[in-house]
Amino acid sequence: MNNFIDNFLIARNPEWHWTDFRYRSQQIAQQLHQDNISTLAFWFEDSASFACALLAAWQVGARVLLPPNLLDENTLWVKQNAQFLMDDAIFSTYGKSQQVANTPFEWPNQGEIWLKTSGSSGEPKIIRKTAEQMWIESQAIIQSLQLPKGDIQVVSNVSPQHHYGLSYRVILPLTQQWSIARKQALYPEILIAESNLSDNNLWITSPVFLNHFEPQLKHELHSQLCGIVCSGGVLPETTAQKIRDNFNAPLIECYGSSETGAIAFRADNGLWQPTPLTRVGLNEQGALWVESKWLLEREQTADAAILDKEKFKLLGRLDRIIKFADKRISLNQIEHDLLKHPWINDCYIAQHSKRQRPAAWIAFNKQGIDTYQVQGRQAVINELRQYLALTQDKIAIPRYWRFSNKLPRNAQSKISRQDFDNILQRPQGMLNE
């Protein structure tokens, strides 16, 4: 695995050169070795510091735990499995007194990451990745993205505490010698401001984030944008087209999971192309399986698909395809169709827990909210039902509707079933106004 050169910036605002970054990482590694630390957990606001501490831990073969948040359940998991939790405050002083040689650095092949995720079933699940696996995956990602050579800053709204953010916001810039934007850009305006610190940028985003991108923000961007990567849910075609029309950069969707890592990419709304290091196929139920150079064994997904030579089309999760009146209904396809409507920013469709019919939870944009307030609930429902009738069988059109201005998606862009069931029990008026 290749050596790192010394004359590039690992971070800006403030600037951090690789030589200083490497020295700091070796200080921490020496302190971890001296303290006999084999397992620690991370919770950082600064992704460059996260990257520095991660390399230090891996240099001594340590295991790093990544809780998705610091709620009681995850705090207990950290206490039970890690010797301590490193954060920005501890990082600022840990190992500072160590004297190291600042020797050339190569990517480690030891050390692990443990990611705690809700898992496909909703139950907590621990995903284990090695440093070597993360390296190999990054090589597949860069081959698939096909970005121009040169200095690039990675700016993102996603957290490195999850696999998507970890792979693209930390591992990818480290292996490619790019810069890491330190802070998570929670709002489009922050993403733009961070991007203007560099001449060339790659955005790592999510569909929900791009849904809130206003076209006029393109006038605030004064630097080059070489690409936009999006993952974490369904990207509405209207949103994708809006981004392509307003930002002169390729918009690339990534399909994958914490278990599998990156599986496939597409640069339009067509078929998915697996990475050069990935093979896919279908099991007897028509669900996609994945084999990659960074996986120890075949991973079976719960996503229904159709193969088309070396590419494939996703049909949605098997548990998102329900049978009613002897017909198969794709809940994902209902969402996909609704997201094309000019009133809708976000939506979630699921089977009603008691009445076995599709139910819809809609997040309106300003136009939708204004229409709801002027025309009323029933007129809005009638319009949306008529709109869906153009593409969906009658039995697939939701019978139960709830309306909001925002859906409570978590850091992985998921809606919890409990939140959905709770919202169906609430009054039918416009929620969280």
Side-chain angles (χ1 to χ4, degrees):
M1 298 180 184
N2 66 326
N3 289 311
F4 288 76
I5 58 176
D6 289 341
N7 61 349
F8 76 97
L9 284 173
I10 191 68
R12 294 170 166 81
N13 194 31
E15 290 188 351
W16 199 3
H17 286 270
W18 174 256
T19 49
D20 298 326
F21 175 92
R22 181 179 63 189
Y23 186 82
R24 185 74 188 95
S25 184
Q26 291 177 354
Q27 282 186 315
I28 294 171
Q30 189 160 298
Q31 189 69 55
L32 290 171
H33 178 73
Q34 183 175 304
D35 294 343
N36 198 28
I37 301 297
S38 60
T39 306
L40 68 161
F42 281 6
W43 187 263
F44 282 89
E45 297 294 329
D46 187 325
S47 286
S49 298
F50 179 111
C52 183
L54 178 63
L55 291 180
W58 281 351
Q59 286 299 299
V60 296
R63 176 186 302 128
V64 176
L65 275 56
L66 297 184
N69 54 55
L70 295 182
L71 296 177
D72 290 346
E73 175 189 353
N74 297 316
T75 301
L76 178 61
W77 176 66
V78 168
K79 288 181 178 179
Q80 291 175 337
N81 294 280
Q83 290 164 274
F84 76 102
L85 175 72
M86 181 174 285
D87 57 16
D88 297 271
I90 293 175
F91 175 88
S92 66
T93 59
Y94 191 83
K96 271 293 184 72
S97 62
Q98 296 289 343
Q99 300 297 315
V100 296
N102 202 7
T103 54
F105 176 84
E106 289 192 358
W107 190 266
N109 56 14
Q110 299 183 37
E112 290 183 341
I113 284 253
W114 285 17
L115 297 118
K116 189 170 187 287
T117 175
S118 61
S120 300
S121 65
E123 294 297 321
K125 188 174 184 180
I126 308 304
I127 310 297
R128 296 168 173 83
K129 305 282 184 177
T130 67
E132 184 176 17
Q133 287 172 318
M134 298 301 294
W135 168 276
I136 298 171
E137 184 194 4
S138 76
Q139 305 311 298
I141 291 172
I142 199 61
Q143 290 180 55
S144 296
L145 292 180
Q146 297 183 346
L147 297 173
K149 301 291 184 181
D151 183 26
I152 295 174
Q153 178 183 224
V154 176
V155 191
S156 176
N157 72 289
V158 299
S159 168
Q161 300 291 132
H162 303 281
H163 188 272
Y164 176 41
L166 173 67
S167 293
Y168 289 81
R169 192 176 164 193
V170 175
I171 304 299
L172 192 62
L174 280 177
T175 62
Q176 300 304 309
Q177 300 178 15
W178 295 341
S179 298
I180 302 172
R182 293 176 180 271
K183 302 297 183 182
Q184 183 178 354
L186 297 177
Y187 302 100
E189 295 80 4
I190 298 176
L191 191 80
I192 295 288
E194 286 293 313
S195 299
N196 285 333
L197 296 174
S198 174
D199 293 332
N200 196 19
N201 298 276
L202 174 66
W203 289 352
I204 307 300
T205 63
S206 63
V208 173
F209 188 81
L210 291 180
N211 283 342
H212 295 291
F213 236 99
E214 297 298 333
Q216 62 265 26
L217 284 174
K218 67 180 179 180
H219 302 298
E220 303 297 324
L221 181 64
H222 306 305
S223 62
Q224 181 70 28
L225 186 57
C226 67
I228 304 169
V229 176
C230 182
S231 188
V234 177
L235 178 64
E237 291 179 16
T238 52
T239 297
Q241 195 58 51
K242 178 182 68 175
I243 296 298
R244 292 189 182 102
D245 290 344
N246 287 280
F247 294 94
N248 186 27
L251 173 58
I252 305 165
E253 291 183 82
C254 172
Y255 164 62
S257 69
S258 297
E259 292 88 348
T260 63
I263 296 174
F265 295 81
R266 65 179 184 178
D268 51 37
N269 295 315
L271 299 174
W272 292 95
Q273 173 68 61
T275 83
L277 304 181
T278 300
R279 290 181 63 247
V280 298
L282 302 178
N283 69 3
E284 293 179 355
Q285 289 74 43
L288 197 75
W289 55 254
V290 182
E291 294 176 347
S292 296
K293 294 292 186 180
W294 56 89
L295 296 176
L296 299 179
E297 58 187 7
R298 176 181 293 183
E299 284 283 349
Q300 180 63 58
T301 78
D303 295 326
I306 298 175
L307 299 182
D308 188 337
K309 298 179 181 178
E310 77 279 7
K311 298 182 181 181
F312 61 91
K313 177 182 180 181
L314 288 172
L315 303 177
R317 290 179 56 86
L318 290 178
D319 61 5
R320 299 279 289 155
I321 299 175
I322 62 174
K323 193 170 184 180
F324 188 77
D326 293 325
K327 293 188 177 181
R328 286 161 59 89
I329 299 172
S330 170
L331 302 177
N332 278 11
Q333 189 60 50
I334 302 172
E335 291 177 357
H336 182 77
D337 292 345
L338 277 173
L339 285 169
K340 297 177 184 178
H341 196 282
W343 296 348
I344 295 176
N345 254 349
D346 195 7
C347 69
Y348 179 74
I349 311 295
Q351 192 171 20
H352 196 294
S353 60
K354 296 180 179 179
R355 297 178 176 88
Q356 306 306 309
R357 290 292 296 269
W361 191 2
I362 306 296
F364 284 133
N365 56 26
K366 186 179 186 304
Q367 182 181 354
I369 292 173
D370 291 344
T371 304
Y372 184 96
Q373 292 173 340
V374 172
Q375 297 186 16
R377 171 183 169 82
Q378 194 56 52
V380 166
I381 291 176
N382 290 341
E383 158 65 21
L384 295 178
R385 288 177 62 86
Q386 292 172 16
Y387 182 79
L388 279 178
L390 299 174
T391 57
Q392 292 287 336
D393 192 285
K394 184 178 179 180
I395 64 169
I397 297 175
R399 178 172 290 185
Y400 307 96
W401 300 80
R402 291 295 183 272
F403 300 104
S404 305
N405 55 30
K406 185 178 181 181
L407 299 189
R409 294 188 180 273
N410 63 18
Q412 295 170 295
S413 295
K414 295 180 180 179
I415 300 289
S416 79
R417 181 69 206 203
Q418 187 62 53
D419 283 344
F420 184 76
D421 289 341
N422 289 343
I423 210 72
L424 291 177
Q425 305 307 314
R426 294 181 59 181
Q428 297 181 357
M430 184 73 183
L431 303 168
N432 61 12
E433 289 183 292

